[in-house]
Amino acid sequence: MDRRLFLALSLALAACADSKPQFKAIDMTGADYAKDFALPDADGRMRTLQDFRGKAVVVFFGYTQCPDVCPTTLAEIAQAKKLLGPDGDKVQAVFITVDPERDKPEAIKAYVSNFDATGVALRGSPEQIAAVAKDFKVYYKQSPGKTPGSYTVDHSAASYVYDPKGRLRLYARYGSGPQALADDLKLLIAGR
């Protein structure tokens, strides 16, 4: 094979390989689960991914009395939105409680609003939450406390990130940081 032809083919193949976005989170494009949810928000309005079409959506499961993982994650999502500047308005944070017994509508709405005024808090019956968590492959389990109401909830600690077309694209691990999330969101907003 001619050396120039070999070089041209090599460059063409390298260019094709570079066309796939280099996400910092785990690329889940094409996954056959976590496709949607149907849960009421804190105001009682039923919400689905379709409600946020046109925005990149970050879905996180947690609970308001979580001592560290949940506030850290919600703060990182809010910081990532700020890092995006005006494009931060093209990102929707969605928090789904895994503790519907204690996370009453007013409490969950206030909790999420403390991090992101545009964030949406979802809750439902224990059965509804169990069904959505199963579809998302989210683990959660109550761990008893010293008194009946002082339990904690062990739960998965990652976020699911959807592109503006509503397709699941990324699994963002806990603690990846706001810059990594912002970089990935920027790619998704740009249609990558």
Side-chain angles (χ1 to χ4, degrees):
M1 181 183 293
D2 180 273
R3 187 176 200 151
R4 287 180 294 188
L5 180 60
F6 178 76
L7 182 61
L9 286 173
S10 296
L11 290 173
L13 287 173
C16 289
D18 289 342
S19 67
K20 185 176 180 186
Q22 297 301 308
F23 294 116
K24 297 191 172 43
I26 298 168
D27 189 339
M28 293 184 60
T29 303
D32 64 350
Y33 62 94
K35 292 186 182 241
D36 205 352
F37 51 79
L39 291 169
D41 65 17
D43 297 320
R45 180 177 162 210
M46 192 60 78
R47 305 301 290 263
T48 68
L49 273 172
Q50 185 65 33
D51 294 328
F52 311 110
R53 188 70 93 187
K55 291 186 175 192
V57 179
V58 183
V59 176
F60 179 73
F61 289 77
Y63 69 113
T64 62
Q65 295 185 37
C66 181
D68 49 18
V69 171
C70 298
T72 300
T73 300
L74 290 171
E76 286 184 356
I77 295 168
Q79 290 169 355
K81 287 178 68 171
K82 286 181 183 168
L83 289 170
L84 290 170
D87 280 345
D89 292 340
K90 297 175 183 174
V91 176
Q92 180 63 57
V94 176
F95 180 82
I96 300 175
T97 184
V98 293
D99 187 12
E101 294 173 35
R102 291 186 298 192
D103 286 348
K104 302 302 179 203
E106 317 77 46
I108 193 172
K109 185 176 185 176
Y111 181 73
V112 171
S113 294
N114 281 329
F115 297 96
D116 179 358
T118 65
V120 173
L122 304 179
R123 65 182 303 278
S125 69
E127 296 79 18
Q128 287 173 310
I129 297 298
V132 172
K134 182 179 179 182
D135 181 54
F136 276 70
K137 300 182 187 250
V138 167
Y139 167 83
Y140 70 101
K141 182 180 181 207
Q142 285 186 11
S143 294
K146 293 181 181 181
T147 61
S150 68
Y151 60 86
T152 59
V153 182
D154 298 329
H155 62 90
S156 301
S159 300
Y160 296 84
V161 185
Y162 296 79
D163 66 20
K165 294 179 182 176
R167 297 176 300 188
L168 177 60
R169 298 293 303 277
L170 304 172
Y171 182 82
R173 292 185 175 133
Y174 170 70
S176 297
Q179 187 63 59
L181 180 59
D183 291 346
D184 285 348
L185 289 166
K186 187 174 185 174
L187 289 171
L188 293 177
I189 290 167
R192 298 292 311 260

